[in-house]
Amino acid sequence: MRLSPACLSRIGRVVLVVVVTVLAVVGTATAMPPPSPVTCDSSRCVLQNSYGVWGDRRDCVIHNLTYPSTEEDLRLAVAYATRNHLKVKVVSKFSHTIPKLACPGEGAGRSLLISTEKYSNNIEIDTSGLVVRVDAGVPLRMLIDRVEEAGLSLVAAPYWEGVSVGGLISTGAHGSSWWGKGGSVHDHVVGMSLILPGKQSEGYAKIVELARNDPLLKAAKVSLGMLGVISKVNLSLERGFKRSVSYDFTDDSRIEDVYTDHAMKHEFADITWYPSRHTAVYRYDDRVPLNTSGDGEFDFLGFRSNSVPISESVRATEKFLENARSVSGKCALASTTLTYKKLIANGLKNGLIFTGYPVIGHQGKMQTSGSCLYSSPSRTDLTCAWDPRINGLFFYETTAIFPANKFGDFIRDVKKLRDMIPDNFCGVDIYNGLLIRFLRASDAYLGQPEDSVVVDFNYYRASQPLTPRLNQDVLEEVEQMAFFKYLARPHWAKNRKLAFQDVNRKYPNFEKFIKAKNQLDPQGMFSSEWSDEIVYGIRGDKFDGCALEGQCICSEDQHCNPDKGYVCEPGRIYSEARVCRYRPSSATTEQLSSPDSRIE
Ligand SMILES: Cc1cc2nc3c(=O)[nH]c(=O)nc-3n(C[C@H](O)[C@H](O)[C@H](O)COP(=O)(O)OP(=O)(O)OC[C@H]3O[C@@H](n4cnc5c(N)ncnc54)[C@H](O)[C@@H]3O)c2cc1C
Ligand SMILES: *[C@@H]1O[C@H](CO)[C@@H](O)[C@H](O)[C@H]1NC(C)=O
Ligand SMILES: *[C@@H]1O[C@H](CO)[C@@H](O)[C@H](O)[C@H]1NC(C)=O
Ligand SMILES: *[C@@H]1O[C@H](CO)[C@@H](O)[C@H](O)[C@H]1NC(C)=O
C-alpha cells in the first residue's frame, strides 16, 4: 500500500486531535503510579530504570535486595556487605536514571542492592538557618511541599519531580538558572552524611559527616553512587517566593545571539527550540514577592497522566510513520503538537486552566511537576506516557552540557544542518524539540567546571535493537557534534553510551574525584563494571548494529544495518562524524534527502 504524504499528514492530524481532546479531559486526573524498578519472578529479580529498558537492553540481575527504613538499618546493610565482600549499589523508589549506574553487577551471592524507597521519614527544617536536612530516599515533591509549608523555598530542582534527593544530586540533576548558586541542585548542598565501609572495630560500617567546608563534599555532591551510601543531605533554602512566568512562541532566527542575554535577564529562563518549525519558545521567568497575587502552577504537559489507549495510539502512529518512512507525517504531528502546546502554555495554569500570561504562583508549584506519578486505585487506566507496562512512548534522551561561550556556534551548526533538509528535525519536534537550560560553574568535581548551557532532546527509539530509525543520521550527527566537536559533557543520568566516550578528560577535577573515591572506598565496593564504563568513558567492543542504539560510533557498515539500507557515512556539516544513513542499494530514482518521494 502506498500512501501519499497528504494522506499521512491527515492521519497524523486526526490522531493528534483525538489525543489532544482526550488529554484535555483527563489531564488533571491521577494515575497508576510507576512500577517498582525491581521485579521478581520465581527464579530471579531484575532491576530496570523507569523506561523498563537499559541502553544495552540487557537485564541487571539482583541477587540480594534490602529496603532499610532507618539510618541504622542502612549502616547495617553496608556492614553486611563489607563483612561478606559484596558489591553495593543504591537505587531509589522509581530509578529514573537512563544509564545502568545503579546495577551492582557481579554474580550470585556477590552483590547487594539497597533501595531507599522506605528510607524517607525525616525532613528537618532549620527555619532561621535556612537549611533542610533530609533522608536520601525522600521524594522531591515531598521535600518541596514541606519546605513551602514552612514559608521557605528550594531554589533549584529538576523539572521532573519523580526523583529522590539522593538520586538527583548523585547525577547532577538541575533546573535552569545563571543566578545565585545556579540551577544545579548539588550547588545548594551544604552538608551530607555518607555511610562507608568500616573496620571491625567500627562495626564494619561508619557514618561520616561532611560539613559545608569539607573538601570531600566536592567529591560527594555528585558521585554517581560510587562513593558510598548517602544517608542524609543538607540543602540550603531561601525565604519563600513566587514566580511570574510567560512563554513567548516566536521565530528562532536569533537564538544564538540572544541566549546569554536571556539567561542573564531572567532568573529561571529557558528556551525550547523546535528547529523544523523555525520556532523558539522563550520562557520569561522571574521571582516576584510572596504577596503578589496569583496561585498558578506548572503542570507540564509531558508529565501529565495519559490514558493507556492514547499513549499506545501515539506510539502506534509514530511506528506507522517510521515504517512508512513518512517525514511529512511526522512534520504534521510536530506541527499539531506545537499548536496545542501554545494553546495550553505547555501546561501552565492560572487556576484550574490556563487563562493568560503571566502565570504567577509559588516557587514550589512552578519549578517542578509530574502529576502522572500519583496513584488512584480507581484509575489504573492512566499512566505516565512512557510506562513500560504499556506499549506507550519509547525514546532516547540526549543531554549535552556546553561551555556557555561555545553554544552559539553549536546552534549555528544545527541550523546549517536543518536548512539543508528542514523536515529532518520533525521527529525531535514531536517530543520537546531542543530544550535549552542554564547552569552555573560548580565546585563539585563531577559538576560543571564553568558556566554552561544544557540541551536535551528526545527522539523515537525502535522496539527492536536492529531497527533503524527515520533520519537517524541527522540526530547522530547532532549528538556527535555536541560531544566531540564542541566537547559538551553528557548529563550523567541520560544519554546513550557513545556520549560518555572519554568523558573523564572533560573534567579538570576528575583525578581529584578518583582520589576521593579511593580514600573513601578503597576496596571499590561501590564501583561496578557499569558505573566504571560511564565514569571512565570506556568505549567497549563494536558489534553488528552497535551504532543503531548508540552503543558505539560506526566505522563500518556492519555497525549500522546494511540489510535495511543503513550504512556508515560521514556527517554533512561535521565531517568527522560517522553516522548510519539510509542508502538503499536500489537507489535509482530514490531521492535520498526526501524519503517521502519513495511512498508517493
Ligand atoms: C521524565 C524525566 C524527566 C527528567 N527531567 C530532568 C530534569 O529536568 N533535569 C535533570 O537534571 N534531570 C532530569 N531527569 C533525570 C533525573 O533527574 C535523574 O535521572 C535522577 O538521578 C533520578 O533520580 P532517582 O532518584 O530516580 O535516582 P536513581 O535513578 O535511583 O539513582 C541515580 C544514581 O544515584 C545513585 N543513588 C541514588 N540514591 C543514592 C543514595 N542514597 N546514595 C548513593 N547513591 C545513590 C544510584 O546508584 C544511581 O547511580 C529526568 C528524568 C526523567 C525520567
Ligand atoms: C541480604 O542482605 C541482608 C543484609 O541487608 C542480609 O541480612 C540477608 O541475609 C541477605 N540475604 C541473602 C540471601 O544473602
Ligand atoms: C545539617 O543540618 C543540621 C540541621 O541544620 C545540622 O544540625 C547538621 O550539623 C548539619 N550537618 C552537616 C553535615 O552539615
Ligand atoms: C507587598 O509587600 C511589600 C512590603 O513587604 C509592600 O511594599 C507592597 O506594597 C506589597 N505589595 C502588594 C501587592 O501587596
Side-chain angles (χ1 to χ4, degrees):
M1 182 183 69
R2 300 201 155 201
L3 292 166
S4 72
C7 166
L8 286 167
S9 63
R10 256 193 320 276
I11 295 172
R13 261 187 219 114
V14 169
V15 170
L16 237 282
V17 168
V18 174
V19 170
V20 159
T21 316
V22 178
L23 275 180
V25 175
V26 302
T28 54
T30 52
M32 181 161 72
S36 163
V38 183
T39 47
C40 303
D41 60 24
S42 53
S43 62
R44 56 178 206 160
C45 295
V46 169
L47 172 71
Q48 277 304 354
N49 59 21
S50 56
Y51 299 114
V53 185
W54 298 109
D56 61 3
R57 298 196 190 231
R58 301 232 298 272
D59 286 339
C60 168
V61 179
I62 298 302
H63 302 286
N64 191 1
L65 172 66
T66 179
Y67 290 89
S69 60
T70 65
E71 193 172 41
E72 179 59 11
D73 286 349
L74 261 186
R75 197 189 66 79
L76 289 173
V78 175
Y80 175 87
T82 311
R83 273 204 321 276
N84 294 286
H85 309 287
L86 305 183
K87 293 278 186 188
V88 182
K89 289 286 184 187
V90 183
V91 73
S92 66
K93 181 177 180 185
F94 295 136
S95 185
H96 274 113
T97 297
I98 295 169
K100 225 173 185 171
L101 290 168
C103 181
E106 298 291 316
R110 296 178 59 194
S111 68
L112 172 66
L113 181 67
I114 300 176
S115 168
T116 57
E117 173 168 354
K118 301 206 166 87
Y119 181 60
S120 58
N121 298 312
N122 298 297
I123 301 178
E124 299 158 45
I125 298 173
D126 171 356
T127 311
S128 56
L130 296 175
V131 172
V132 60
R133 180 167 180 76
V134 55
D135 288 352
V138 166
L140 177 59
R141 172 49 58 193
M142 190 193 285
L143 169 65
I144 288 174
D145 286 350
R146 207 66 80 68
V147 161
E148 294 273 331
E149 276 165 31
L152 305 174
S153 288
L154 180 67
V155 178
Y159 287 4
W160 164 244
E161 67 187 51
V163 293
S164 67
V165 171
L168 77 92
I169 62 167
S170 296
T171 59
H174 59 82
S176 182
S177 185
W178 267 358
W179 289 33
K181 295 178 179 185
S184 299
V185 187
H186 53 262
D187 290 322
H188 300 254
V189 170
V190 292
M192 192 186 272
S193 304
L194 210 52
I195 304 186
L196 295 167
K199 300 198 253 318
Q200 184 178 3
S201 62
E202 295 165 318
Y204 295 103
K206 60 188 174 194
I207 301 176
V208 176
E209 290 272 308
L210 302 179
R212 198 184 282 258
N213 295 319
D214 195 318
L216 285 172
L217 193 58
K218 295 180 186 159
K221 284 196 283 197
V222 181
S223 69
L224 313 182
M226 296 175 79
L227 290 197
V229 181
I230 298 166
S231 69
K232 291 187 184 276
V233 180
N234 282 18
L235 285 160
S236 65
L237 303 172
E238 293 188 21
R239 298 268 161 233
F241 60 91
K242 285 185 174 175
R243 274 158 65 170
S244 170
V245 186
S246 299
Y247 285 112
D248 182 15
F249 287 69
T250 182
D251 75 84
D252 66 359
S253 58
R254 298 185 61 229
I255 299 177
E256 61 273 35
D257 303 321
V258 303
Y259 70 92
T260 304
D261 226 37
H262 183 60
M264 294 204 300
K265 281 198 185 128
H266 304 282
E267 182 170 4
F268 301 101
D270 71 23
I271 306 169
T272 313
W273 181 27
Y274 297 93
S276 75
R277 307 292 94 201
H278 292 258
T279 298
V281 182
Y282 292 89
R283 176 165 168 151
Y284 293 95
D285 187 338
D286 299 286
R287 195 187 283 240
V288 294
L290 260 189
N291 62 357
T292 315
S293 69
D295 197 14
E297 70 171 310
F298 185 40
D299 179 13
F300 177 59
L301 177 66
F303 301 160
R304 290 185 186 176
S305 318
N306 286 330
S307 96
V308 172
I310 292 300
S311 301
E312 292 185 339
S313 72
V314 173
R315 173 71 182 177
T317 304
E318 247 189 313
K319 227 178 193 171
F320 169 79
L321 296 173
E322 282 279 328
N323 292 338
R325 302 193 60 77
S326 171
V327 172
S328 65
K330 286 216 168 190
C331 291
L333 259 179
S335 164
T336 320
T337 309
L338 183 57
T339 304
Y340 182 59
K341 283 183 179 160
K342 186 173 177 183
L343 188 72
I344 64 149
N346 289 328
L348 280 174
K349 294 174 178 174
N350 308 71
L352 283 175
I353 54 164
F354 173 66
T355 52
Y357 295 121
V359 176
I360 296 170
H362 289 272
Q363 162 68 358
K365 294 259 178 80
M366 301 300 275
Q367 171 65 25
T368 186
S369 64
S371 52
C372 68
L373 284 162
Y374 304 101
S375 60
S376 158
S378 58
R379 297 306 301 266
T380 53
D381 56 331
L382 298 176
T383 65
C384 296
W386 57 85
D387 192 308
R389 292 165 296 189
I390 65 169
N391 294 316
L393 298 192
F394 187 44
F395 48 85
Y396 292 114
E397 181 153 10
T398 292
T399 302
I401 312 177
F402 293 78
N405 59 5
K406 292 192 188 165
F407 183 68
D409 287 334
F410 169 73
I411 292 283
R412 284 181 198 100
D413 273 354
V414 176
K415 282 187 171 175
K416 273 189 219 155
L417 195 54
R418 185 264 322 263
D419 293 343
M420 288 174 81
I421 321 166
D423 286 350
N424 286 3
F425 282 89
C426 292
V428 167
D429 291 349
I430 290 174
Y431 289 83
N432 289 310
L434 276 66
L435 173 60
I436 299 165
R437 292 184 279 184
F438 303 94
L439 304 181
R440 286 206 65 177
S442 171
D443 67 357
Y445 296 151
L446 298 186
Q448 299 314 306
E450 62 214 313
D451 289 352
S452 303
V453 181
V454 188
V455 174
D456 316 35
F457 51 100
N458 293 358
Y459 43 109
Y460 181 86
R461 183 175 184 184
S463 306
Q464 298 303 320
L466 291 178
T467 305
R469 283 108 37 221
L470 204 49
N471 301 135
Q472 75 168 60
D473 57 329
V474 175
L475 297 177
E476 284 175 352
E477 184 167 349
V478 174
E479 187 182 29
Q480 290 177 38
M481 207 150 68
F483 295 116
F484 307 118
K485 178 172 179 187
Y486 292 102
L487 300 177
R489 300 178 184 90
H491 191 307
W492 295 113
K494 302 182 187 174
N495 291 301
R496 314 192 308 162
K497 181 175 165 181
L498 86 146
F500 294 98
Q501 285 188 7
D502 300 325
V503 68
N504 49 351
R505 294 199 210 142
K506 295 179 180 174
Y507 284 89
N509 290 314
F510 187 79
E511 286 311 318
K512 289 184 185 160
F513 176 77
I514 297 301
K515 214 173 139 200
K517 178 176 112 66
N518 292 337
Q519 179 188 339
L520 296 173
D521 175 27
Q523 306 299 323
M525 207 166 118
F526 292 94
S527 295
S528 71
E529 58 185 300
W530 308 112
S531 51
D532 280 353
E533 176 183 286
I534 295 299
V535 75
Y536 294 105
I538 296 166
R539 285 163 200 245
D541 295 334
K542 293 190 185 183
F543 50 89
D544 287 2
C546 60
L548 290 176
E549 294 241 288
Q551 293 290 109
C552 71
I553 296 173
C554 68
S555 46
E556 292 166 26
D557 292 347
Q558 289 307 324
H559 303 144
C560 301
N561 190 339
D563 293 344
K564 295 213 164 135
Y566 282 72
V567 294
C568 187
E569 293 197 351
R572 291 185 168 98
I573 298 288
Y574 175 43
S575 56
E576 284 92 334
R578 288 294 175 273
V579 302
C580 296
R581 185 171 292 134
Y582 184 58
R583 292 281 188 209
S585 47
S586 60
T588 41
T589 57
E590 214 77 50
Q591 244 201 315
L592 298 165
S593 58
S594 147
D596 269 340
S597 57
R598 208 174 73 99
I599 47 171
E600 262 167 0

